[in-house]
Amino acid sequence: IVAGTAAHAQTPYPTKTITMIVPFAAGGPTDTVARLVAQSMGNTLKQQIIVENVGGAGGTIGAARVAKADPDGYTLFLHHIGQSTAPTLYRKLPYNAIDSFEPIGLVTDVPMTFVARKDFPAKDFKELLAYVKANKTKVTYANAGVGSASHLCGMLFMSAIDTELTTVPYKGTGPAMNDLLGGQVDFMCDQTTNTTSQIKGGKIKVYGVTTKTRVPSLPDVPTLNEAGLPGFEVAVWHGLYAPKGTPKPVVDKLATALQAALKDQNVKTRFAELGTEPVAENRANPEALRTFLKSEIDKWAPIIKKAGVYAD
Ligand code: MLT
């Protein structure tokens, strides 16, 4: 037996409730992914995993909380692509996106959708493009703060069409969706994990998906490639972390429980209904997340610098 495995099997961990920090408000896409994964991992580890929402500053408030938490395995962190954009967007972050965390594994890549309030005047994406170019800052765009996925998508969109809109930030796209449903904000780019049920319920309008190919659970929604913005692609990857210094046997036990969660039929079914699927098994491990996070930080830095968007 490899020593690690022996230690991993003998670790009494966990012996009490675990907290999984979500750096956005409850009811949004990140929260949705976290609660499904926490439920399944808790079953495997035979300890409750409670989700705690710590919103603000595009996810960096929650990240800072985790970076300072005890590395004892009882604080976990579920975050998305924002972990890789914050180091460029925030020039004075109180943590290091790589060195302040122990990666556990990748979780899922979620497509995004361009959605608007039900009575938004555009009937398709081409009309939406024409409308926002004509009305500029009279159009309001919701996001979850600088560093959120909705912010990233909006930044890429405004750069692509060379048009500034009025941005309305929320502590998550859960609260943003409430205002979209109420017509208080015009549109947003948000993840299918948050928009699918409202789209299918006819409560909001959908104009396109931001993935290379169409989303199986939204078969009639064109890709932006088809709809008029060729090459516009963004999907929101999610990773699970613990604070730096969390013991390796604990990290290995968490990675094993994550891998079980991604094979859990309940998780797979719910993910599919929400337009996503678990990552391939060989990505749900510490090395895969560490490597991918580094490559994403390097990928987004020049794009963000070119757009000239900074939070501080
Ligand atoms: C985002 O835009 O980053 C997320 O949708 C925020 C959230 O999960 O609420």
Side-chain angles (χ1 to χ4, degrees):
I1 279 185
V2 173
T5 314
H8 158 33
Q10 285 157 6
T11 305
Y13 170 86
T15 56
K16 63 181 182 177
T17 297
I18 297 165
T19 299
M20 183 183 288
I21 302 278
V22 167
F24 295 102
T30 313
D31 189 60
T32 298
V33 170
R35 287 179 194 277
L36 283 167
V37 168
Q39 171 77 37
S40 181
M41 288 180 68
N43 293 342
T44 301
L45 295 167
K46 298 190 177 21
Q47 279 295 338
Q48 200 188 11
I49 301 182
I50 56 165
V51 169
E52 185 182 344
N53 301 88
V54 180
T60 58
I61 303 281
R65 164 87 82 81
V66 175
K68 289 196 288 281
D70 289 343
D72 57 7
Y74 292 99
T75 301
L76 306 181
F77 183 44
L78 193 124
H79 194 13
H80 58 38
I81 193 168
Q83 185 76 351
S84 70
T85 56
T88 305
L89 290 164
Y90 290 81
R91 289 172 280 200
K92 291 193 295 294
L93 272 185
Y95 62 84
N96 180 292
I98 296 174
D99 299 336
S100 304
F101 300 89
E102 293 296 345
I104 294 166
L106 284 156
V107 179
T108 183
D109 292 312
V110 183
M112 301 193 86
T113 48
F114 274 78
V115 291
R117 58 183 164 80
K118 205 155 58 116
D119 52 0
F120 192 71
K123 75 171 185 318
D124 59 21
F125 191 75
K126 270 192 173 43
E127 282 194 13
L128 180 136
L129 283 180
Y131 186 89
V132 299
K133 283 177 180 174
N135 292 280
K136 303 182 192 307
T137 52
K138 284 206 291 290
V139 181
T140 52
Y141 173 86
N143 71 25
V146 177
S148 64
S150 43
H151 162 264
L152 178 66
C153 183
M155 180 193 84
L156 296 172
F157 178 62
M158 291 180 222
S159 295
I161 64 170
D162 193 21
T163 305
E164 269 310 300
L165 308 172
T166 294
T167 297
V168 183
Y170 295 80
K171 282 203 181 308
T173 51
M177 179 61 81
N178 293 337
D179 274 8
L180 195 72
L181 291 167
Q184 278 83 23
V185 68
D186 287 329
F187 84 111
M188 71 176 165
C189 174
D190 192 20
Q191 298 171 67
T192 55
T193 33
N194 196 35
T195 59
T196 298
S197 58
Q198 306 298 354
I199 291 167
K200 297 199 168 183
K203 302 269 189 337
I204 54 177
K205 271 183 179 170
V206 61
Y207 294 93
V209 294
T210 64
T211 36
K212 200 187 292 283
T213 54
R214 292 195 178 198
V215 176
S217 52
L218 294 168
D220 305 332
V221 182
T223 65
L224 262 57
N225 272 313
E226 297 170 67
L229 208 51
F232 191 98
E233 264 166 51
V234 61
V236 185
W237 58 270
H238 293 65
L240 184 65
Y241 308 82
K244 183 73 180 173
T246 302
K248 186 171 181 331
V250 170
V251 169
D252 291 347
K253 202 158 200 177
L254 286 164
T256 303
L258 173 62
Q259 286 150 17
L262 299 184
K263 285 192 281 226
D264 179 332
Q265 196 48 54
N266 176 49
V267 171
K268 289 166 72 169
T269 302
R270 195 71 192 112
F271 272 12
E273 287 165 356
L274 295 174
T276 190
E277 61 185 7
V279 297
E281 189 173 352
N282 65 354
R283 299 181 74 207
N285 63 67
E287 278 327 298
L289 175 52
R290 188 190 315 279
T291 304
F292 187 66
L293 173 58
K294 282 182 184 155
S295 69
E296 283 286 292
I297 291 171
D298 295 344
K299 168 185 169 182
W300 291 109
I303 296 168
I304 290 166
K305 285 175 182 153
K306 181 163 168 279
V309 170
Y310 296 102
D312 55 7

